[in-house]
Amino acid sequence: MSLDFYGTSVQSRLLLGTSLYPSPAIMLESLKASGAQIATVSLRRESGTERAGQAFWSLIKESGVRVLPNTAGCKTVKEAVTTAQMARELFDTPWVKLEVIGEDDTLQPDVFGLVEAARILCSEGFEVFPYTTEDLVVAEKLLAAGCEVLMPWGAPIGSGRGLNNLYGLRSLRAHFPKVPLVVDAGIGLPSHAAQAMELGYDAILLNTAVAKAGDPVAMARAFAAAIEAGRTAFEAEPIETRDMAAPSTPVAGTPFWNN
C-alpha cells in the first residue's frame, strides 16, 4: 500500500539523505539500491550561485527522486524560516523538512521554536515535515499549526543508537493513528528500522547509517529490505508478548505412556 504525504503518494517507505557519501556516484547508486523516492537535501550544501551546488542539484534531478529540502543546522525561528523560503525558490517545491536545533551535543530540536516556525511556514503555504521529539503535547501543537506529518527522532542525529524511547514512540503512534509518522534520526542498523516499522510507523528517514557504512550501496539495499519486512510484519498483526511459555504443539491426540 502506498504512503501519502500532503496528497503525494509514494511506494517506498524509505527516505534517504544525500550528505556524507564518499562520492556523488556512490550517493546515486545508494539512492537507486534503496528504492527511495524522496531524498533530503540541505540548502547549506546546495547553492544556486556556485558551480558545485548546481552540479549537485543536477545529479539529484537526474536520479528522479522527489526532493525534500532541509533546514539542517538552523538554530532560530528566523533562520529556519528564511532557509525554507530560499529552498522553495531553489528547489521549486512547497515541501520542507523543518529543523530548529536547540542543543549542540544531542542536536535535540528546540520544540518551542519548531512550533513557531511551523506555524509561520504553514501559513505561507509550505508543506512542513517537522523534525521533532516524541512529546505528545508538541505533536498536538505541530498538527494544530498545520503540519500533516510528524518526524520524531529515534535517537540523536548520527548516533546510530536506534530507538531510545520505545514507550514514547508507541504512545505517539497510539495517539495519532491516522497521522503519517516518520522516524527521523538515530537509526544505525536495519534491525532498528524494522523495529520502528513493527511499531506501526509509516516510514524511516536515514542518512548517516547508509552514507558512512563500509559499503553504502549494500547498506541501502539492506535497509530497504528491513523496512519492507517490518511493515509487512506490522500489517500481519504480530502475536502479543507473554510472560510465560505457551505450547506450540497441540496436546490433544498425543499418546501418553505409562511406565
Side-chain angles (χ1 to χ4, degrees):
M1 183 179 293
S2 64
L3 175 60
D4 185 90
F5 291 131
Y6 291 102
T8 296
S9 294
V10 294
Q11 298 300 317
S12 174
R13 293 176 181 269
L14 172 57
L15 290 68
L16 202 59
T18 56
S19 64
L20 304 176
Y21 290 87
S23 70
I26 291 177
M27 178 199 70
L28 290 177
E29 289 183 42
S30 300
L31 276 171
K32 183 177 179 180
S34 73
Q37 295 171 279
I38 299 172
T40 61
V41 176
S42 172
L43 190 64
R44 292 171 181 269
R45 287 200 59 206
E46 176 63 43
S47 171
T49 60
E50 297 178 5
R51 290 183 179 179
Q54 291 176 349
F56 179 79
W57 178 216
S58 295
L59 285 175
I60 295 298
K61 288 193 288 187
E62 289 173 10
S63 72
V65 298
R66 172 135 187 180
V67 172
L68 176 59
N70 191 343
T71 66
C74 293
K75 295 183 178 181
T76 67
V77 172
K78 182 178 180 180
E79 187 180 13
V81 169
T82 300
T83 301
Q85 292 167 338
M86 293 170 62
R88 178 163 62 178
E89 289 191 20
L90 179 61
F91 298 113
D92 191 27
T93 177
W95 282 13
V96 62
K97 179 192 168 188
L98 179 61
E99 291 187 22
V100 182
I101 300 301
E103 206 279 323
D104 288 337
D105 290 330
T106 62
L107 299 180
Q108 180 169 327
D110 171 3
V111 294
F112 305 101
L114 180 67
V115 171
E116 183 180 349
R119 185 177 296 112
I120 294 169
L121 292 173
C122 288
S123 71
E124 294 182 0
F126 281 88
E127 295 172 347
V128 178
F129 294 65
Y131 165 60
T132 183
T133 67
E134 65 276 19
D135 188 285
L136 298 178
V137 176
V138 174
E140 289 278 13
K141 292 185 180 298
L142 287 168
L143 295 174
C147 298
E148 296 181 13
V149 181
L150 297 174
M151 302 181 75
W153 66 346
I157 293 172
S159 68
R161 295 180 59 86
L163 308 182
N164 273 356
N165 185 357
L166 283 173
Y167 171 79
L169 290 170
R170 283 197 187 99
S171 297
L172 191 67
R173 177 73 285 176
H175 277 72
F176 306 103
K178 303 298 184 181
V179 176
L181 299 180
V182 182
V183 172
D184 175 17
I187 298 294
L189 295 169
S191 57
H192 298 156
Q195 184 181 28
M197 300 303 290
E198 289 167 1
L199 291 178
Y201 276 73
D202 296 287
I204 304 292
L205 195 157
L206 299 167
N207 192 167
T208 307
V210 171
K212 300 295 285 185
D215 186 339
V217 177
M219 188 62 76
R221 192 177 298 115
F223 268 107
I227 289 169
E228 182 178 355
R231 181 65 187 185
T232 302
F234 170 73
E235 292 175 345
E237 300 182 7
I239 64 171
E240 294 184 4
T241 58
R242 296 169 53 96
D243 291 329
M244 303 297 290
S248 58
T249 302
V251 175
T254 302
F256 291 88
W257 307 99
N258 292 323
N259 293 327

